[in-house]
Amino acid sequence: MASKLREKLAERRLLHVMAAHSPLSAKLAEEAGFDGIWASGFELSALYGMPDLSFVSMTQHLDMVRAMSGSAHLPIVADIDTGYGNAINVTHAIAEYERAGAAAVVIEDKTFPKVSSLASTGRQELVRIEEFQGKIAAALASRRDPNFVVIARTEALIAGLGEAEALRRAAAYEAAGADMLLIHSKQKTPDEVESFVRAWSGDVPIVIVPTAYPEMNESRISALRKIRMVIYGNHAIRASVTAMKDIFARIRRDGGIHTVNENIVSVEEIFRLQGMDRVKIVEKQFLR
């Protein structure tokens, strides 16, 4: 899948990548026409009912990446937070994520354990630039497939360090060999990110995650001409929670499922997504 992602990037168009937290949500993202899947640490943490504070282990995340890779046929961009440790840990992580079927990883320059970037309070500390350059170099040196994409994510804006520091870090990470740069912000408008993108003079393309500033739509992104990937970072889990809360409340309110049945997908649609048609074919061929 790494070569498939490289081919998509070579088309020089904006790639739309949807977050997923399960094989089912990955399959739905594929059917909706997205270019890739974001194996979101935030979404998986939420699925387990835990805060996004590095509580989900690499093993848990890898298991989900493998499952999604077997369910959908889209490149997977794996959110590996800070790389699960130092540069030595990163070398192990890259090998494992390649084996699991990921096409790319995103590594961020915060300290471990991380705190969710969009949390209103919490520690947002960054590692030294030289230390993070070492992580990028380790990731590049340990990948077996040269098409495997290493995306460096700077949290300078999240940490309140300003545009100049964000640009300084981005340039250092490009110099270390990063294939792409992810710039993140929790401002409620796109102004901060747009200013960064306009000021960016490097050669590697930019990735954004416009969760906090949803008015940053495709036309506005394309006008900046330097952004090649937009990740919709947590909309699968948020949509799931919205739907379940609504249906659960209606069932309790109405004293049964008689009013909600027409508003949810049929059992047959779930069978389709599960691949029950293949089961029937195997039954006919091999069960005697």
Side-chain angles (χ1 to χ4, degrees):
M1 280 297 176
S3 59
K4 187 174 182 179
L5 179 58
R6 288 283 185 180
E7 289 169 6
K8 287 177 178 287
L9 289 169
E11 295 172 4
R12 306 196 65 80
R13 62 180 178 86
L14 181 64
L15 301 186
H16 298 265
V17 176
M18 174 53 70
H21 53 271
S22 66
L24 179 60
S25 55
K27 185 174 289 188
L28 292 172
E30 181 179 26
E31 291 189 354
F34 286 95
D35 296 297
I37 294 164
W38 172 239
S40 166
F42 175 90
E43 292 217 353
L44 189 58
S45 296
L47 186 67
Y48 280 107
M50 296 191 297
D52 186 19
L53 296 172
S54 298
F55 288 164
V56 170
S57 70
M58 184 174 78
T59 299
Q60 289 172 302
H61 195 242
L62 277 167
D63 285 344
M64 189 56 69
V65 170
R66 289 189 194 98
M68 292 194 296
S69 177
S71 177
H73 301 90
L74 289 177
I76 295 176
V77 181
D79 172 18
I80 67 169
D81 292 340
T82 62
Y84 303 104
N86 62 19
I88 297 172
N89 301 80
V90 168
T91 62
H92 174 63
I94 296 300
E96 291 297 316
Y97 277 92
E98 276 196 276
R99 276 194 286 269
V105 293
V106 172
I107 312 174
E108 63 188 75
D109 58 359
K110 285 199 297 201
T111 58
F112 177 89
K114 63 161 283 182
V115 177
S116 177
S117 300
L118 300 182
S120 58
T121 59
R123 174 183 47 80
Q124 303 292 347
E125 297 174 351
L126 275 55
V127 298
R128 294 178 300 107
I129 289 177
E130 295 78 10
E131 179 179 345
F132 195 69
Q133 284 181 309
K135 288 189 179 186
I136 296 168
L140 296 170
S142 57
R143 63 183 177 186
R144 292 169 297 171
D145 184 350
N147 288 312
F148 190 81
V149 178
V150 175
I151 303 172
R153 167 174 163 175
T154 181
E155 297 282 281
L157 298 180
I158 293 291
L161 301 179
E163 183 178 291
E165 178 65 10
L167 289 167
R168 187 167 78 96
R169 286 177 171 266
Y173 303 161
E174 179 184 32
D179 296 303
M180 304 181 79
L181 292 165
L182 192 156
I183 183 68
H184 206 16
S185 170
K186 60 183 176 183
Q187 295 297 311
K188 301 303 182 184
T189 68
D191 299 350
E192 186 175 52
V193 165
E194 287 179 320
S195 178
F196 173 91
V197 174
R198 292 191 186 98
W200 172 241
S201 59
D203 294 323
V204 299
I206 294 172
V207 182
I208 64 168
V209 188
T211 305
Y213 45 98
E215 64 268 35
M216 190 76 159
N217 59 19
E218 182 172 2
S219 61
R220 192 162 176 174
I221 294 169
S222 298
L224 295 169
R225 303 176 66 85
K226 300 175 187 176
I227 301 171
R228 298 290 301 286
M229 183 185 293
V230 54
I231 295 173
Y232 305 101
N234 52 36
H235 291 76
I237 197 72
R238 289 167 63 193
S240 300
V241 171
T242 299
M244 286 191 286
K245 288 180 71 172
D246 175 61
I247 294 299
F248 293 172
R250 288 172 59 188
I251 291 172
R252 291 295 293 130
R253 183 193 67 202
D254 299 340
I257 59 175
H258 53 288
T259 63
V260 304
N261 202 53
E262 62 184 20
N263 301 126
I264 57 179
V265 300
S266 65
V267 174
E268 288 72 26
E269 172 62 2
I270 300 300
F271 284 164
R272 183 189 72 80
L273 291 166
Q274 290 175 307
M276 286 296 290
D277 56 335
R278 297 192 301 275
V279 175
K280 292 178 181 178
I281 292 171
V282 171
E283 284 179 341
K284 289 181 180 179
Q285 286 181 325
F286 302 113
L287 291 185
R288 299 288 189 267

